[in-house]
Amino acid sequence: MAASITISKLLTPTSLRLTTASRLTFTNLSSKLSFTSTPQKHRQSPKPLRFSTARTTISATIAVGDKLPESTLSYLDEAGEVQTVTVSDLTKGKKAVLFAVPGAFTPTCSQKHLPGFVEKSGELKSKGVDTIACISVNDAFVMKAWKENLKINDEVLLLSDGNGDFTRAIGAELDLRDKPVGLGVRSRRYALLAEDGVVKLLNLEEGGAFTFSSADDILKAL
C-alpha cells in the first residue's frame, strides 16, 4: 500500500530524509510517504479441546504417606434417592483404589479409564482391594446416568464430588474454564491406592492425559 502527501512551500528547499521501518522523504515542494503494509493473517478457527499428554513433573496437595482428607461424596441408590458416603467409609481399615476422571461421558473416561477398572475389578479384589471408586466433579444424577449407560453393576462405585470439595482438598483441580465446551473446574485424572486412609501410591496425570493411571498401572503396584 502506498500513500502520497504533498506539502506546500512551508518547507525549505533542503531535502530531509528519515529512515525507520518505512522511509519518509521530503524534497522541495513535494514529499512522498512510502510504506509497505504487512498482509493480514487469516483468523484461525478455535482448536478442538485437547488435554495435554506431556509427562511432566506435577504436584498436588496430597502425597504418598499422607492421610486422605475427610470429605463427603454422593450417589443415587437403586430407588433414585441421594445417598452419601465419606472418604473414611471408603478407606478406614481397607485397601482402597480411588480414581478420578475429568468428566462423565467424555471420550477417554468412557472408553478407556472407567471400563478398564470395571474389567480389572476382579483382579484388583483378588489382590486384596476392598473398594474401587470412580470420582468425578459431576452431580450424582449424571453419575447414575453414566453408570447405566455403560451397564456397570457393582464392580466400581461411581461417586459425585459435585462441588469439588474433595478434589480441592487434595489439590487436583483442573481448570477448563477457557475451553469452549463449558466444563468449568473439574478434577485432573489420577489413580491412587490407599491403605487405612493413607496414600500408598498416587499416579496423578497432567490434566486429562491418560498415560499411567489405568487399572493395569495399579495392578503392577500390588
Side-chain angles (χ1 to χ4, degrees):
M1 178 175 65
S4 178
I5 302 175
T6 302
I7 303 178
S8 63
K9 294 182 179 181
L10 294 175
L11 296 177
T12 63
T14 304
S15 298
L16 173 63
R17 190 177 300 270
L18 296 175
T19 302
T20 55
S22 60
R23 178 170 292 177
L24 179 64
T25 304
F26 296 92
T27 306
N28 288 335
L29 301 180
S30 65
S31 174
K32 292 184 179 180
L33 175 63
S34 300
F35 54 91
T36 302
S37 62
T38 302
Q40 186 174 4
K41 295 181 179 179
H42 295 293
R43 182 175 296 175
Q44 296 181 345
S45 301
K47 295 181 178 180
L49 175 65
R50 295 182 186 277
F51 294 124
S52 170
T53 57
R55 183 77 175 272
T56 58
T57 301
I58 53 179
S59 61
T61 304
I62 199 73
V64 171
D66 290 344
K67 185 83 172 179
L68 287 170
E70 186 63 297
S71 191
T72 300
L73 306 167
S74 64
Y75 64 96
L76 294 184
D77 62 19
E78 293 182 0
E81 298 295 326
V82 177
Q83 303 294 333
T84 60
V85 62
T86 66
V87 172
S88 292
D89 294 333
L90 297 170
T91 62
K92 187 175 181 180
K94 302 174 184 177
K95 183 179 290 187
V97 172
L98 308 181
F99 67 99
V101 297
F105 290 102
T106 54
T108 301
C109 307
S110 296
Q111 298 167 12
K112 297 179 181 179
H113 202 185
L114 176 53
F117 276 94
V118 173
E119 180 184 349
K120 301 290 184 177
S121 61
E123 292 181 52
L124 289 166
K125 291 177 180 178
S126 71
K127 291 183 176 291
V129 174
D130 302 293
T131 303
I132 307 172
C134 174
I135 299 171
S136 183
V137 183
N138 287 106
D139 64 70
F141 297 93
V142 168
M143 295 299 279
K144 180 175 175 61
W146 193 31
K147 176 180 178 179
E148 292 173 347
N149 179 262
L150 294 179
K151 297 178 174 57
I152 297 172
N153 295 312
D154 59 354
E155 301 94 341
V156 175
L157 296 172
L158 271 66
L159 302 175
S160 165
D161 182 26
N163 294 322
D165 294 337
F166 179 68
T167 299
R168 284 192 298 274
I170 65 172
E173 305 100 312
L174 175 62
D175 191 347
L176 297 174
R177 288 175 294 181
D178 62 331
K179 304 301 180 184
V181 292
L183 290 176
V185 179
R186 298 297 183 97
S187 173
R188 281 153 64 180
R189 192 184 307 280
Y190 64 81
L192 67 83
L193 173 67
E195 294 182 13
D196 196 24
V198 176
V199 179
K200 298 298 183 180
L201 174 72
L202 175 61
N203 289 350
L204 179 65
E205 303 274 12
E206 176 62 36
F210 183 50
T211 58
F212 65 116
S213 59
S214 68
D216 285 329
D217 291 306
I218 296 296
L219 281 168
K220 291 174 185 176
L222 292 173

